[in-house]
């Protein structure tokens, strides 16, 4: 393995959250590019959407810490942001869950509009996918269309429900409104992808090994 550039993911200190002045030599905080820091902080200027979103996020974290589930956090966040119309970008495999989510959100007086990933019924052949991909169905997931349809509906805030890896990235890229994720798809681990990390030294030890066959 070539020499790596150390960053926050290589730090076991975590004092940036404690501010006691003890940092590793490679710490991003103590070796900060001041221009980048200034550019980032400028986004939080008084009256900006980013500033309001940051303030509301902090208030939701504080008020609901260890008390509210993520669905409740989304409801409170959306309400405090003044959002009225919420979009749901859902995998067709999670339509039941998305309907339940819509029922919950509507019970809290939000307008809800959802688009499933297979909407538009475009084929994988038309997209130039490898023909073996048709073994899981001939129609392709279309996150760009999902984003554009929700943009057309002028949603204030969008919620991702189980879009595939990469498909979720395309949705984030093309959505006009801010996006949060409620369900991160992981069919093997019951949509709890963090379980692989918790078991990375045990049942999922293979993930830390170089497995050519996996890729």
């Amino acid at each position: 393995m070539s020499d790596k550039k150390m960053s926050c993911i290589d730090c076991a200190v975590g004092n940036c959250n404690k501010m006691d002045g003890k940092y590793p030599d490679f710490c991003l905080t103590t070796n900060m590019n001041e221009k980048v820091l200034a550019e980032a902080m400028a986004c939080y200027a008084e009256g900006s959407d980013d500033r309001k979103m940051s303030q509301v996020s902090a208030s939701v974290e504080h008020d609901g810490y260890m008390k509210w589930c993520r669905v409740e956090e989304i409801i409170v966040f959306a309400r405090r942001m003044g959002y009225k119309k919420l979009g749901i970008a859902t995998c067709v495999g999670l339509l039941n869950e998305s309907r339940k989510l819509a029922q919950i959100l509507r019970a809290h007086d939000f307008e809800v509009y959802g688009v499933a990933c297979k909407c538009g019924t475009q084929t994988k052949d038309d997209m130039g996918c490898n023909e073996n991909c048709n073994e899981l169905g001939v129609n392709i997931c279309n996150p760009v269309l999902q984003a554009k349809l929700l943009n057309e509906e002028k949603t204030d805030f969008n919620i991702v429900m189980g879009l595939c890896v990469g498909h979720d990235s395309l949705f984030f890229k093309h959505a006009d409104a801010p996006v949060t994720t409620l369900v991160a798809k992981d069919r093997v681990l019951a949509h709890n992808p963090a379980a692989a990390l918790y078991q990375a030294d045990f049942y999922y030890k293979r993930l830390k090994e170089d497995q050519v066959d996996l890729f």
Side-chain angles (χ1 to χ4, degrees), residues 42-63:
C43 294
Y44 299 109
E46 191 73 39
S48 68
D49 289 340
D50 289 344
R51 186 180 185 88
K52 180 179 179 181
M53 190 174 293
S54 178
Q55 292 171 337
V56 171
S57 297
S59 74
V60 172
E61 177 191 18
H62 173 268
D63 297 345

Side-chain angles (χ1 to χ4, degrees), residues 1 22 42 50 75 113 122 129 132 154 160 176 187 200:
M1 183 181 294
K22 298 177 181 179
D50 289 344
I75 291 169
Y113 192 87
Q122 300 299 297
C129 298
N132 62 13
K154 299 188 182 330
V160 164
D176 289 342
R187 296 192 185 282

Side-chain angles (χ1 to χ4, degrees), residues 70-71 74 89-91 94 97-98 101 159-164 168 172 180-187 190-193:
R70 192 171 178 90
V71 172
I74 288 173
T90 182
C91 168
L94 277 86
E97 292 84 348
S98 292
L101 175 62
I159 303 166
V160 164
M161 289 287 288
L163 298 188
C164 300
D168 55 359
F172 299 148
T180 194
T181 299
L182 179 57
V183 178
K185 177 183 284 181
D186 191 327
R187 296 192 185 282
H191 307 308
N192 178 24

Side-chain angles (χ1 to χ4, degrees), residues 118-173:
K118 303 293 186 181
C119 184
T121 59
Q122 300 299 297
T123 69
K124 295 174 184 177
D125 290 337
D126 290 339
M127 194 68 71
C129 298
N130 190 302
E131 63 180 16
N132 62 13
C133 293
N134 289 327
E135 295 172 5
L136 297 179
V138 298
N139 292 332
I140 196 161
C141 297
N142 200 334
V144 175
L145 179 62
Q146 287 178 287
K148 289 188 175 297
L149 289 175
L150 292 178
N151 293 345
E152 190 176 62
E153 287 296 318
K154 299 188 182 330
T155 53
D156 299 314
F157 190 52
N158 295 321
I159 303 166
V160 164
M161 289 287 288
L163 298 188
C164 300
V165 172
H167 292 152
D168 55 359
S169 303
L170 282 168
F171 181 80
F172 299 148
K173 180 178 180 180

